[in-house]
């Protein structure tokens, strides 16, 4: 699972002096229609997005998946990590560097999971040098399930149900293989967890691209009873289009489960919509 497939190759960007490792996958034999910046969640690495690569590149999209600041090659330089807003600034710098040497097509489509979805929302709410097409986020809500705030985002520590949901939602061998994706969560990121609801209320009105929010059927980190998802969407007042979807037979780590293909196809369908807007 941690190996790179579908034409992906290791890739490192200099983001204003911060080395961001990850991978880059380009469509073979055709121009890049758009570039997907894929942003992993808490305690994971860029290879979380490996299963997306063959579907996206077959449709002409490049996939740029980066280890967020404080993970991968930047962990030594940033042992405390960066704030979510700081990570967004670093990602904007990385996109500028990437666009200087690679075709990005019509622009960059943000794809974020969990804490990576928070960073993607911060990125969409701030200006950068590269045009943004839209944002698709999974596993990130507005208000936490009260039980979730007591657990770390790890395979152990009592958080397995929150992170995964029912084990039969994942292919055999997923949990052993996914250990290669794990990385320590930087302290600054962990410290911001309780502040997210207020942060979201501040940044949501500044997101000016189409947004799709996806919640797994067995998502346990967030309050999802009505009207919570609709209330979250309603705060995105400047976004030209907002949709909320619920994915059946999926747990929090959607892109590692049996539902990954269905989710990724829906992501790419939304990207097509964004390209037409």
């Amino acid at each position: 699972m941690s190996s790179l497939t579908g034409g992906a190759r290791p890739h490192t960007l200099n983001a204003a002096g911060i080395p961001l490792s990850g991978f880059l996958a380009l469509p073979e034999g055709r121009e890049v229609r758009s570039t997907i910046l894929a942003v992993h969640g808490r305690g994971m690495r860029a290879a979380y997005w490996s299963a997306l690569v063959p579907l996206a590149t077959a449709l002409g999209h490049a996939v740029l998946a980066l280890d967020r600041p404080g993970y991968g090659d930047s962990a030594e330089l940033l042992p405390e990590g960066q704030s979510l807003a700081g990570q967004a600034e670093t990602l904007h710098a990385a996109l500028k560097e990437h666009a200087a040497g690679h075709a990005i097509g019509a622009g960059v489509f943000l794809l974020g999971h969990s804490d990576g979805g928070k960073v993607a929302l911060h990125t969409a709410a701030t200006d950068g040098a590269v045009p943004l097409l839209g944002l698709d986020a999974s596993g990130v809500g507005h208000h936490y399930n009260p039980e979730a705030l007591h657990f770390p985002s790890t395979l152990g520590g009592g958080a397995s149900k929150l992170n995964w949901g029912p084990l039969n939602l994942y292919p055999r061998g997923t949990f052993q293989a996914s250990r290669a994706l794990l990385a320590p969560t930087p302290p600054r990121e962990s410290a911001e967890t309780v502040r997210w609801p207020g942060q979201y209320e501040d940044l949501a009105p500044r997101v000016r691209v189409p947004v799709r929010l996806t919640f797994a059927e067995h998502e346990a980190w967030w309050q999802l009873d009505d009207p919570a998802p609709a209330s979250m969407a309603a705060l995105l007042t400047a976004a030209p289009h907002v949709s909320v979807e619920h994915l059946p037979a999926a747990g929090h780590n959607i892109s590692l489960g049996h539902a990954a293909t269905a989710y990724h196809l829906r992501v790419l369908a939304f990207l097509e919509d964004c390209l037409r807007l």
Side-chain angles (χ1 to χ4, degrees), residues 61-75:
H61 306 294
V63 179
L64 175 63
L66 297 174
D67 296 320
R68 291 192 283 113
Y71 294 86
D73 285 2
S74 68

Side-chain angles (χ1 to χ4, degrees), residues 15 25 32 65 69 77 86 104 107 140 165 177 191-192 201 207 272:
V32 172
L77 181 65
I104 63 168
V140 56
E192 284 198 74
E201 291 164 11
V207 174
E272 294 293 337

Side-chain angles (χ1 to χ4, degrees), residues 10-13 17-22 45 66-79 183:
H11 190 64
T12 300
L13 285 171
I18 298 172
L20 296 186
S21 50
R45 296 283 301 274
L66 297 174
D67 296 320
R68 291 192 283 113
Y71 294 86
D73 285 2
S74 68
E76 184 175 356
L77 181 65
L78 300 170

Side-chain angles (χ1 to χ4, degrees), residues 3 20 31 40 42 45 50 69 71 88 91-92 98 118 124 134 136 141 160 164-165 173 175 207 221-222 233 240 259:
S3 61
L20 296 186
E31 293 184 358
H40 66 83
R42 178 186 301 194
R45 296 283 301 274
S50 293
Y71 294 86
L91 288 184
H92 274 302
H98 178 74
K118 298 176 185 178
D136 194 296
S160 293
W164 300 100
F175 306 104
V207 174
W221 281 101
W222 304 98

Side-chain angles (χ1 to χ4, degrees), residues 163-210:
N163 287 327
W164 300 100
L167 303 188
N168 63 3
L169 298 175
Y170 301 89
R172 184 182 299 272
T174 295
F175 306 104
Q176 182 65 33
S178 61
R179 292 184 182 276
L181 303 178
L182 299 180
T185 303
R188 285 187 184 176
E189 185 171 319
S190 294
E192 284 198 74
T193 297
V194 296
R195 297 197 292 270
W196 169 247
Q199 289 179 344
Y200 178 74
E201 291 164 11
D202 176 63
L203 67 87
R206 296 185 279 116
V207 174
R208 297 183 296 276
V209 297

Side-chain angles (χ1 to χ4, degrees), residues 101-119:
H102 298 81
I104 63 168
V108 170
F109 179 80
L110 298 171
L111 176 61
H113 173 252
S114 195
D115 273 17
K118 298 176 185 178
V119 175

